[in-house]
Amino acid sequence: MTLTKQDFSAGLPPPSELGIAGMDSSRGKEKAVLESLAGGDAFGSVEPVKKPSGRLIMHSMAMLGREFCYAVEAAFVTPVLLSVGLPKSLYSLVWLISPILGFVLQPVVGSASDHCTSGWGKRRPYILALGILMLLGMALYLNGDMMVSALIPERGKQRTWAIVITMLGVVLFDFAADFIDGPIKAYLFDVCSHQDKEKGLHYHALLTGLGGALGYLTGAMDWGNSVLGRFLGSEFQVMFIIAALVFLICLTVHLCSIPEAPLRDDSTETKLLLKVDGPSEYGSIESVNNGYLKPGYAEKKILSELGKSTETPQTQVQTRMTVKCLLKAILSMPSHYRCLCISHLIGWTAFLSNMLFFTDFMGQIVYHGNPYAPHNSTAYLTYERGVEIGCWGMCINAISSSLYSYLQKALLPCIGLKGLYFIGYLLFGIGTGFIGLFPKVYSTLALCSLFGVMSSTLYTVPFNLIAEYHREEESQKEQNGGEAEATGRGKGIDCAALTCMVQLAQIIVGVGLGFLVSAAGSVIVVVICASAVALTGCCFVAFFVRYVE
């Protein structure tokens, strides 16, 4: 059904009233006309239709693929870097380049996706591009040595180029894998109702844990002596083939999961009237942007009828959005957004402090091995055994994260988001504290299950709160008659700002913990610091983070 201009104008006040409003220059009459349009059923905010659970699971497959690749990187990147002869002095550089780039550029990508006018939607073009970069990074760091050997015949240059290509692959993979989380979350927020957002975030955490567990289990297998390993040359090539196939399948399913309504240009909106192809077809309303009417649509329509300028503050912000304006928009975000970002930073700092050094902690502290001993010595073999058991601990963490994300659904009505947030930090702080005080094999492996509680909490609760804040802002906007202050912020920027805290935590951990370990002379200080930071985070989420009633 298409409403013609005559049909549409039938719902407007008589022309005489509009003439009086123009002659009197009375903004009250004009505002009343706008409010009558905005308040009707046709132009009210449109809640997206409820999504089937299967669609939400398909949407979450990207997290399974991403975490599978992350687990492969955690299992193989250190052996790969050692095999190409990377100097120890460059280790910190490898791990710092990606988070620094991510921290600087993530909000820019978030803002760009907020204003993307691709016919495929706002978020999916960026998700596809970052997915391709992830595959390219994996190809470089897992196959870089083989590629260099095939392309460069001079043995003297092979080692240098192998180091350069492998480092580039690690940085590119980390950069893209960290970046892709923001657009995936913003994509979920754009196309789902509030209830589906909560359900979708739980599925995200569930499949994130499942992907990590599958990745660690796959990496623990001896692929070098398998038929595939002998055919392809080494276990690194086998893992690349498996990880690339898993990620490609998951990414394809994700991109085909839920349609996105494209963001319309303002020039298009001023020419087109309301067009409905079906009563419940998603994205069938021309002026609806992913389930919600674009702000200012009705206003621009009636102002164009009155012969007035159709440029609104929001379109002005969009046209002059630069890096400087973007940073200003982020810094000027409401205080409760800033507090949520700080709590997220505290949580990820504690979590990464423990996770990045956990296998080394198992080898040195729990098994009393020595990574610097000769490779054929008992001390070094004992250290390697501890690292292997540490990988199984990471697998327990991933399985626990997946199971706890399912349990969160039952706990949420009882204790709310505040209780879930507080419990996640508290259990992680207590668990890491006990591991530091009593470094025994079986107790440490058992307490690894508490790492999964923290992991699931960090992947769900902060983004649930972001969704609550957005819903609160939308309801306030409806109460104010559709008027809202133009801040230049969108869902993409808010998700990107939250995800930036992960990169900032990586920078803090990469720079700070090395000095702590050198000063203390033992990696046990890492676990104690992780416990202290997590317990500090308990206080912060209890007293400073705002929860929507």
Side-chain angles (χ1 to χ4, degrees):
M1 178 183 71
T2 303
L3 297 179
T4 64
K5 186 172 182 179
Q6 288 77 13
D7 295 331
F8 181 74
S9 59
L12 295 177
S16 59
E17 292 187 23
L18 295 179
I20 294 171
M23 288 186 296
D24 294 343
S25 301
S26 172
R27 298 186 64 185
K29 287 278 187 181
E30 193 173 299
K31 185 176 181 182
V33 173
L34 297 177
E35 287 178 352
S36 67
L37 284 173
D41 292 335
F43 289 101
S45 73
V46 180
E47 181 77 3
V49 296
K50 183 177 176 60
K51 303 296 184 295
S53 296
R55 289 285 180 178
L56 296 175
I57 292 173
M58 288 172 65
H59 188 280
S60 305
M61 289 297 290
M63 301 304 291
L64 186 149
R66 186 188 82 136
E67 203 64 22
F68 185 95
C69 295
Y70 259 142
V72 170
E73 185 199 31
F76 286 96
V77 72
T78 300
V80 168
L81 292 174
L82 290 174
S83 67
V84 298
L86 180 71
K88 289 183 179 180
S89 58
L90 295 179
Y91 272 19
S92 59
L93 182 63
V94 172
W95 299 117
L96 284 177
I97 291 176
S98 174
I100 289 173
L101 287 175
F103 182 72
V104 174
L105 297 179
Q106 184 105 323
V108 179
V109 173
S111 173
S113 70
D114 277 337
H115 302 127
C116 176
T117 56
S118 167
W120 206 30
K122 293 195 295 182
R123 317 296 179 184
R124 287 188 290 179
Y126 287 89
I127 295 171
L128 177 62
L130 292 169
I132 293 172
L133 289 179
M134 280 181 63
L135 289 172
L136 179 60
M138 271 200 305
L140 290 178
Y141 83 76
L142 285 174
N143 304 288
D145 194 16
M146 183 184 68
M147 293 164 54
V148 168
S149 300
L151 296 175
I152 300 178
E154 300 178 27
R155 187 172 294 274
K157 293 183 179 180
Q158 285 182 356
R159 180 174 178 270
T160 301
W161 278 105
I163 292 174
V164 171
I165 295 297
T166 303
M167 285 181 63
L168 177 63
V170 173
V171 170
L172 189 62
F173 174 82
D174 282 339
F175 174 79
D178 290 342
F179 255 62
I180 204 171
D181 187 53
I184 288 174
K185 293 292 193 298
Y187 176 17
L188 178 72
F189 288 0
D190 284 342
V191 298
C192 290
S193 64
H194 184 74
Q195 290 76 15
D196 285 339
K197 290 174 190 177
E198 292 183 349
K199 184 188 282 188
L201 288 172
H202 287 305
Y203 284 134
H204 277 203
L206 179 69
L207 293 185
T208 294
L210 180 60
L214 292 175
Y216 285 119
L217 289 173
T218 306
M221 298 179 184
D222 185 11
W223 293 104
N225 295 321
S226 66
V227 176
L228 275 176
R230 289 191 293 269
F231 176 74
L232 295 173
S234 74
E235 61 180 343
F236 298 150
Q237 281 71 55
V238 177
M239 285 308 303
F240 169 71
I241 296 296
I242 294 174
L245 284 175
V246 169
F247 183 72
L248 277 174
I249 293 171
C250 291
L251 184 65
T252 303
V253 172
H254 168 78
L255 293 175
C256 298
S257 60
I258 304 174
E260 270 191 291
L263 182 66
R264 301 294 180 182
D265 290 331
D266 293 334
S267 59
T268 305
E269 288 176 4
T270 57
K271 294 177 184 176
L272 294 176
L273 291 173
L274 191 63
K275 180 180 180 182
V276 183
D277 298 325
S280 61
E281 180 182 355
Y282 176 80
S284 60
I285 299 177
E286 284 291 334
S287 62
V288 173
N289 172 29
N290 297 319
Y292 293 92
L293 276 167
K294 277 206 68 178
Y297 179 82
E299 180 182 351
K300 282 183 285 190
K301 296 296 300 176
I302 189 62
L303 288 182
S304 64
E305 294 286 340
L306 295 171
K308 297 183 180 293
S309 171
T310 60
E311 188 176 55
T312 63
Q314 288 183 344
T315 60
Q316 293 172 1
V317 171
Q318 179 171 339
T319 55
R320 59 171 189 262
M321 179 62 70
T322 62
V323 175
K324 181 179 178 180
C325 295
L326 178 59
L327 292 175
K328 183 179 179 181
I330 294 174
L331 293 175
S332 62
M333 65 170 52
S335 59
H336 53 278
Y337 279 94
R338 284 199 298 271
C339 288
L340 182 60
C341 287
I342 293 172
S343 69
H344 203 52
L345 173 63
I346 293 172
W348 273 105
T349 301
F351 186 70
L352 291 176
S353 298
N354 184 67
M355 301 305 288
L356 292 180
F357 288 85
F358 182 73
T359 53
D360 190 45
F361 172 82
M362 288 291 289
Q364 290 196 58
I365 305 302
V366 178
Y367 273 79
H368 306 289
N370 183 4
Y372 304 107
H375 285 200
N376 58 352
S377 64
T378 303
Y380 184 80
L381 294 175
T382 303
Y383 172 79
E384 278 199 328
R385 175 62 178 165
V387 171
E388 290 176 5
I389 298 300
C391 289
W392 284 106
M394 296 296 95
C395 185
I396 293 172
N397 152 62
I399 295 172
S400 170
S401 174
S402 184
L403 294 175
Y404 181 71
S405 65
Y406 189 78
L407 183 61
Q408 279 183 326
K409 291 182 182 180
L411 292 176
L412 182 59
C414 301
I415 60 178
L417 290 175
K418 185 174 184 178
L420 288 176
Y421 215 3
F422 182 82
I423 286 175
Y425 280 58
L426 179 65
L427 292 180
F428 181 80
I430 293 174
T432 50
F434 274 113
I435 287 173
L437 295 174
F438 309 103
K440 304 298 180 183
V441 178
Y442 293 109
S443 62
T444 300
L445 289 177
L447 290 169
C448 282
S449 59
L450 299 182
F451 301 168
V453 174
M454 182 65 159
S455 173
S456 180
T457 299
L458 291 173
Y459 277 118
T460 55
V461 177
F463 293 98
N464 266 319
L465 287 171
I466 284 281
E468 293 278 3
Y469 296 161
H470 287 162
R471 184 173 68 162
E472 183 182 49
E473 290 174 356
E474 288 163 2
S475 64
Q476 289 176 353
K477 182 180 176 182
E478 289 178 3
Q479 292 173 3
N480 294 333
E483 295 182 358
E485 183 182 356
T487 62
R489 284 177 31 251
K491 294 177 182 177
I493 297 180
D494 290 339
C495 292
L498 200 61
T499 310
C500 272
M501 297 303 104
V502 182
Q503 280 88 49
L504 185 55
Q506 289 177 352
I507 296 170
I508 293 172
V509 170
V511 173
L513 283 186
F515 291 110
L516 282 176
V517 173
S518 299
S522 173
V523 292
I524 198 171
V525 69
V526 174
V527 179
I528 300 300
C529 284
S531 176
V533 173
L535 293 175
T536 303
C538 284
C539 300
F540 195 90
V541 300
F543 297 109
F544 294 98
V545 175
R546 187 167 75 83
Y547 302 88
V548 180
E549 297 295 335

